Amino acid sequence: MIPRIAEINATQKHYLNFIEALKQQGFEGDLSAGYANRVVLSTDNSIYQILPQGVLYPRSVADLVLVTSLTNEERFADIVLSPRGGGTGTNGQSLTDGLLVDLSRHLNNILEINVEERWARVQTGVVKDQLNAALKPHGLFFAPELSTSNRATIGGMINTDASGQGSCLYGKTRDHVLSLKSVLLDGSVLDSTPINQQLLDEQKTQNSRAADIFANVDHLHKTHEALIEERFPKLNRCLTGYDLAHVRTDSNLFDLNSILCGSEGTLAFIAEAKLNLLPIPNCVALVNLCYDSFNDALRDAQDLMKANPTSIETVDSKVLGLAMGDIVWDTVSEFFPAQGDRTIQGINLVEYTADNEDDLRTKVAQLQSALASVQGQQGKAFSHTVAWGHDAIKRIWAMRKKSVGLLGNAEGEKRPIPFVEDTAVPPENLADFIAEFRALLDERDLQYGMFGHVDAGVLHVRPAIDMKDPDQEKIIREVTDKVVELTRKYKGLLWGEHGKGLRSEYAPELFGEELYGVMRQIKAAFDPRNQLNPGKICTPMSVDAELIRIDEVPTRGQYDRQIDQGAREQFRAAMYCNGNGACYNYDPNDAMCPSWKGTRERTQSPKGRASLVREWVRVMQSRGVDLPQQTAQLRRRSFVMSLPGKIKNTLGKRQGDYDFSHEVHESMMGCLACKSCVGQCPIKVNVPQFRSRFLELYYSRYLRPLKDYFVGALEFMIPVLSRFPAPYNWAMNNSLMQSFMQRVTGMVDSPAICENSLRSALQSRGKDFVSIDELESLSAEQRLRTVVIVQDAFTSYFDTSVVVDTLDLLSGLGYNVQVAPFVANGKPLHVHGFLRTFDRVAKKAASRLAKIEALGIPLVGIDPSMTLAYRQEYAEIMERWPKVQLLQEWLATEESVLSKYRSDVKQSFKLMAHCSERTSAAPSLKSWQKVFSMLGHDLEVLALGCCGMAGTYGHESSNVETSKKIYSQSWQPVLADNNAEELLATGYSCRSQVKRVDNVGVRHPAQALLRSL
């Protein structure tokens, strides 16, 4: 049963009382019972959706002690708690209808790094890649490798005993845990590390929960040692939790961490960890083999293992095809060259590491010799390439890591989903196992993609199912049961890598009644009242409780089927988010979702916004609101007619009337509309698109703030104001006027309009804005040398010198350069949800530009964000849109011209690219490098996040603090560490932000090239 939003039932009141009691006892972290936050955290990377009662964000171990101690009070003895880290689990491990305890927001500090002894001590909210970035300068790394390493937390890795690529060499997370600091459910703190028998005996004599745990586990292990040896699978991969087989180490130490690692939050809150570190291999190479079939790749992997590689990964044609259509392919395509008409149906990625280059090349040469001896044989690779060095290999592994998310980007309503996605069998059984697995799926006409760790016998497969269809949902049970039988046949596990979670119901059968009873006794020793993540892994012997069954849990599909097709189509850009969490990337130098990085609020992320819009659409549907029909009506309705209702609703909002729309609106207003999500999300979740559609509907019921009208009208006001810029510029620099503007419009520190207009600059060069008649009068030969610059309001009026310098650069290269008359682009209107006006403005602009395009004359734009609107936002409303190229895209095709102007004096520059350019037009960055190279210069494209400005976002008073924080995370350090003369920025908003915060003028690439000529 899906609860209604506004209901406060007895259960919810009970949990609210618990939260209030925490406040009164001095809990220093954050507490949230808001519906929006709960909705966002009701999903992970699984098919399930469970609404928690609230979310706790502890700030310290002391906060965790408060939380657990409070559950010991009789009135709160039934409170359910579940820990959560990055939320990347595929089996609902961190989902609960109780309280989520999110350790990732505050407990994310690296506490100590000991380089000499090769260990690090961290809080468990630290992200794996965050830790490795801190270790890299010391030549060390934390070994277990995951596809979600840029957002998976150390705590999540410990709780699922995570492993991945290279596990045959490096093992699992448990193999690198030296000690843990955990908070038990009675409020006590447990420090666990491998200990000898004497220390164990001393521990067991203490009067504490920990002493009972040590005694119980030791007794149970000794009593059932033979049964444990018989029943625990002998696999490289994780058993997931309560690993009695490894309680005694090879040196006969007692290691309680073998019980805690993989326990999925069912035993304790793991707050800190001391981790073993390894030296980063000095030299690495990756041999990329291409096959005619996926089956050939799988079977050949067994022969490849004889060459003793570090790891072997495999990918099928389905996943490879999805990668080829993604931004990631641009970074790796050189390693998978076309072979005539031969198509790649499977690949093996064979990695080698070594301490020195000679050893590495010897290893690779041996494999290449073996490959040459079987060249042309059926079932063998038909081609291969070798990638040398960490940088090249990192790109290929990034493509492989993205496979999980890419599988969710299929077309249609049937989407590949996780539920049997991490089976593990002995590697020698893998090919036969997969043959039967594929037959099982094929006989049900299920589409799927496969990839995995063939060296470890682990297969990742996601069958495509439309979970909105109740009949298709039943396939989950049917297929899972069959796959369990299949893994048993081949001596494997259903959960080889991603944990049990809501698949725990299969555990009793795997372990048998007696051994499963032993595990239940362990659970009882840690959690006698079954409060920690109940229903997963096992239930305590002390209570009458059952494991959750996979078909007794609400799924996202059950919610989604309440939304009709019309509304789904209208908000399509939000509907297919599968929760893979790529938007939670910790890296400040990655462009993905700056609002998440600037706030660390899950609601301020693409996944969060998609979740909220899905729920908002569902709620509106449940109230009988036809959103497509409402949209059509409001576009016909006049502003005056709708005004009374807006005023009434807005007054009610100010008086505290609850509307879930307000929580969604708050989330949407934090979006920078940078479109990094569109380019970098594997599912292509398009937040700016559904954000604008939501805002259009929201403001059909509530009054807009004045700043929206100011921003929306900017493109129309600026050309008028620019005729007499002095009054405007005076007002923007006058403190009283600034204060007035901030109060009235919500805008701050607006840039000044350039005193020297573009028209005057053109006229000084004997030109004016070109007319269509002038262009039509050009001969065919003249048109070949002509290029037309398409203006945008920001560059033309606030940064006029960039347009003038671009004109001079192209003229200096021998082109007949013309500037089209200014016509509003409409992008600001789209961003703020003025979609009816945007439709009109865009069609007018497209009509004018189409006349120039029809003459065969190239159109180029200077500002990336505004120029890309012609191929993105325009594509939403028209079948054919103007082909306006980015400046570098066009220049890169003019090699015959540019080569004549090659400089003899090489200069080096560094490019700070605009977010939209980096993520929505990634190949264009190589175009800039090509242009600079043709003119004799070097251009390095810096790995950067967002500057934080994003059009007018950074000028809105409500966003200033976040805008500057985003800038400080990535751009500011680059400005501090580099000579500004070498730095170039393509975006007007980026240059504006640098000027505002650091008072440094950064040039556009065209300006640097002009000076070099």
Side-chain angles (χ1 to χ4, degrees), residues 647-658 662 702:
I647 293 172
K648 178 183 176 183
N649 292 337
T650 303
L651 288 173
K653 175 183 176 180
R654 290 173 181 172
Q655 292 167 6
D657 290 352
Y658 179 77
H662 302 328
Y702 296 96

Side-chain angles (χ1 to χ4, degrees), residues 73 153 237 245 301 467 471 559-560 592 622 711-712 719 795 904 911:
E73 295 186 14
T153 62
R237 280 322 215 230
M467 290 292 287
D471 290 331
Y559 285 77
D560 288 346
M592 176 55 118
S622 70
V711 173
T795 313
D904 294 329
L911 180 64

Side-chain angles (χ1 to χ4, degrees), residues 594-595 597-600 670 672 742 746 748-749 946-949 952-969 972 993 996-997:
S595 60
K597 293 185 176 73
T599 64
R600 300 288 292 182
L672 282 76
Q742 183 172 348
V748 298
D749 59 21
C946 180
C947 74
M949 178 56 77
T952 60
Y953 172 90
H955 291 301
E956 298 178 26
S957 55
S958 58
N959 300 327
V960 169
E961 185 178 339
T962 303
S963 171
K964 292 183 177 179
K965 182 176 181 180
I966 293 167
Y967 178 79
S968 72
Q969 292 174 330
Q972 199 157 39
Q993 181 80 316
R996 173 171 76 160
V997 180

Side-chain angles (χ1 to χ4, degrees), residues 292-312:
D292 288 317
S293 77
F294 182 51
N295 190 55
D296 288 346
L298 288 170
R299 293 192 179 277
D300 193 36
Q302 298 308 309
D303 285 340
L304 295 174
M305 285 297 295
K306 298 173 185 176
N308 298 314
T310 301
S311 69
I312 302 180

Side-chain angles (χ1 to χ4, degrees), residues 393-506:
I393 290 169
K394 183 179 179 181
R395 286 184 275 141
I396 298 173
W397 286 140
M399 181 270 288
R400 158 61 185 83
K401 284 182 175 184
K402 213 170 183 181
S403 298
V404 177
L406 288 170
L407 273 174
N409 194 33
E411 292 296 323
E413 297 304 309
K414 292 184 178 181
R415 297 286 169 129
I417 57 173
F419 63 98
V420 287
E421 83 286 359
D422 61 332
T423 56
V425 298
E428 62 272 17
N429 296 343
L430 184 61
D432 291 334
F433 168 74
I434 289 180
E436 288 201 49
F437 199 149
R438 295 181 76 164
L440 186 157
L441 300 176
D442 290 342
E443 68 186 27
R444 290 165 178 79
D445 294 323
L446 294 173
Q447 298 296 311
Y448 52 89
M450 289 184 170
F451 58 96
H453 318 289
V454 290
D455 53 344
V458 174
L459 175 69
H460 297 303
V461 54
R462 296 193 172 192
I465 293 173
D466 181 2
M467 290 292 287
K468 299 188 303 303
D469 181 345
D471 290 331
Q472 290 189 51
E473 185 179 335
K474 295 173 184 175
I475 295 173
I476 301 295
R477 163 65 67 185
E478 180 185 340
V479 169
T480 304
D481 286 348
K482 291 291 184 183
V483 172
V484 169
E485 292 177 16
L486 203 56
T487 54
R488 190 185 307 120
K489 174 181 176 180
Y490 285 99
K491 305 186 187 323
L493 281 172
L494 174 64
W495 47 78
E497 193 166 274
H498 298 159
K500 291 191 184 79
L502 293 167
R503 302 181 296 181
S504 296
E505 66 167 280
Y506 296 99

Side-chain angles (χ1 to χ4, degrees), residues 820-872:
F822 175 77
V823 59
N825 169 292
K827 169 98 178 191
L829 291 167
H830 188 279
V831 167
H832 288 272
F834 293 99
L835 295 187
R836 178 168 60 176
T837 309
F838 169 74
D839 187 285
R840 185 176 67 252
V841 168
K843 287 177 179 175
K844 179 181 178 181
S847 175
R848 289 193 179 186
L849 294 173
K851 293 175 182 177
I852 301 175
E853 187 183 346
L855 299 174
I857 298 172
L859 297 163
V860 298
I862 296 174
D863 184 74
S865 178
M866 298 295 280
T867 303
L868 290 171
Y870 293 114
R871 69 185 74 168
Q872 295 176 338

Side-chain angles (χ1 to χ4, degrees), residues 138-283:
H138 306 294
L140 300 172
F141 78 117
F142 177 54
E145 188 54 273
L146 314 177
S147 65
T148 56
S149 60
N150 61 16
R151 64 261 197 204
T153 62
I154 298 299
M157 293 180 67
I158 292 170
N159 269 307
T160 53
D161 196 10
S163 58
Q165 169 208 330
S167 64
C168 289
L169 178 65
Y170 297 122
K172 306 185 290 292
T173 298
R174 174 179 58 80
D175 299 313
H176 301 276
V177 170
L178 300 176
S179 66
L180 297 175
K181 181 184 290 292
S182 307
V183 179
L184 302 176
L185 206 55
D186 67 341
S188 61
V189 177
L190 169 68
D191 289 302
S192 53
T193 191
I195 54 177
N196 59 30
Q197 188 63 46
Q198 180 182 346
L199 287 174
L200 175 60
D201 290 341
E202 291 176 9
Q203 287 278 9
K204 291 192 291 186
T205 62
Q206 306 298 314
N207 182 23
S208 66
R209 172 72 63 86
D212 292 342
I213 290 168
F214 278 107
N216 269 283
V217 173
D218 186 38
H219 170 72
L220 291 168
H221 176 258
K222 288 177 178 176
T223 306
H224 300 89
E225 194 166 1
L227 185 60
I228 292 166
E229 174 67 21
E230 174 193 337
R231 296 304 298 263
F232 273 59
K234 308 295 187 293
L235 288 169
N236 163 273
R237 280 322 215 230
C238 62
L239 176 73
T240 308
Y242 304 18
D243 192 353
L244 288 160
H246 294 92
V247 166
R248 291 281 175 178
T249 68
D250 293 339
S251 52
N252 202 34
L253 297 177
F254 181 85
D255 189 3
L256 191 65
N257 294 334
S258 291
I259 301 296
L260 289 166
C261 290
S263 60
E264 299 185 3
T266 63
L267 300 180
F269 288 102
I270 301 173
E272 293 179 15
K274 182 179 177 182
L275 305 170
N276 174 59
L277 308 176
L278 296 175
I280 297 172
N282 292 327
C283 307

Side-chain angles (χ1 to χ4, degrees), residues 712-731:
L714 194 62
E715 286 190 287
F716 307 95
M717 295 190 304
I718 292 299
V720 177
L721 294 171
S722 68
R723 295 174 187 173
F724 305 99
Y728 175 86
N729 291 342
W730 173 84

